[in-house]
Amino acid sequence: MTINAEQISVGDLDLAKRVLAYARNVIAPRLDEIDGEALEDAIAILKGVVKEATARGARGIVSQSVGTARVSYGSASSCFSDDDRQALAVLAGVGADMAVGHPVGDFPKHSRVLRRVFSEGV
């Protein structure tokens, strides 16, 4: 099921759209493929990210000017904590096809030396 910006918005719909777009394109490309309880968890995480981004105030300011009263805030990527990124990636199955800690790839065939050492079979 597809998550939309209205589901994660806490007042600022444009910010919710930016956060959702970043999550879909960078953190969890398979975000729209999840359903059930994992979908509810993803919505809760994204809603928390939007709330934090709305409340971050001075913590999110990258630069400011006094002469023309300009304030620049960080990018959408700065809204996500490492925990948020990791949780969304796991929920969306990013890297699920790669078993953690196991070797990946093709390995050479058994050599004659190994057959001699292990005569019972390799």
Side-chain angles (χ1 to χ4, degrees):
M1 180 177 172
T2 302
I3 300 172
N4 59 41
E6 289 81 20
Q7 290 174 299
I8 64 169
S9 177
V10 290
D12 188 352
L13 191 59
D14 290 335
L15 177 62
K17 288 179 181 181
R18 288 178 54 213
V19 166
L20 187 56
Y22 184 81
R24 278 187 184 133
N25 293 320
V26 178
I27 299 172
R30 297 188 216 164
L31 189 61
D32 291 329
E33 297 175 13
I34 62 175
D35 57 359
E37 190 174 335
L39 178 67
E40 293 174 17
D41 293 345
I43 290 171
I45 292 167
L46 291 169
K47 192 178 279 191
V49 169
V50 173
K51 280 182 185 177
E52 176 64 26
T54 303
R56 66 184 172 168
R59 291 180 295 175
I61 294 176
V62 175
S63 66
Q64 63 186 42
S65 300
V66 176
T68 58
R70 240 181 277 159
V71 176
S72 299
Y73 289 93
S75 64
S77 65
S78 65
C79 300
F80 290 87
S81 69
D82 290 339
D83 291 340
D84 296 332
R85 290 172 190 269
Q86 186 176 20
L88 284 173
V90 168
L91 287 172
V94 174
D97 51 346
M98 303 276 293
V100 177
H102 296 283
V104 177
D106 295 325
F107 297 95
K109 302 286 185 210
H110 302 297
S111 68
R112 283 187 274 168
V113 174
L114 283 176
R115 285 189 203 128
R116 288 183 196 154
V117 173
F118 301 103
S119 59
E120 65 274 355
V122 184

